[in-house]
Amino acid sequence: MHHHTLINALKASQNWINQFNHGNLDYCVASFADGATLDVTPMGQYTGQQQIHDFWQAMLQSGANDLVYRNTQVTLISDDEVRLCGQWQMSIGRGKILAEHWCRQGDGHWKLASMKLEFSEQF
């Protein structure tokens, strides 16, 4: 069971990356659970889907694309929760994924309860 939990959370994360790279803002925002938080150092903290929407919309409008994750590490928290860490890079910068906290919802879909990112370098 644990193996499937990790695989499904990784698939959800990869789907998020793919949709981001296609500019699908609605999908990206809908992947955050109600009340989710997005903490982006040094840009700020965003709570709830509207603030998260506004942040990602501004990023996409600035030309953000070609997002890639590297050195990804996943940690099983429970059968319904997984934490993902690593490094990211895209057209406008690079940095660290301090934590993506993925949670399986009652309907079986995986959503982000929180995402913590750090910009190490902006291009």
Side-chain angles (χ1 to χ4, degrees), residues 49-67:
Q49 290 193 336
Q50 186 59 54
Q51 287 185 7
I52 291 169
H53 173 277
D54 294 346
F55 174 82
W56 288 119
Q57 182 177 38
M59 294 295 287
L60 288 168
Q61 288 175 342
S62 75
N65 58 31
D66 296 327
L67 177 61

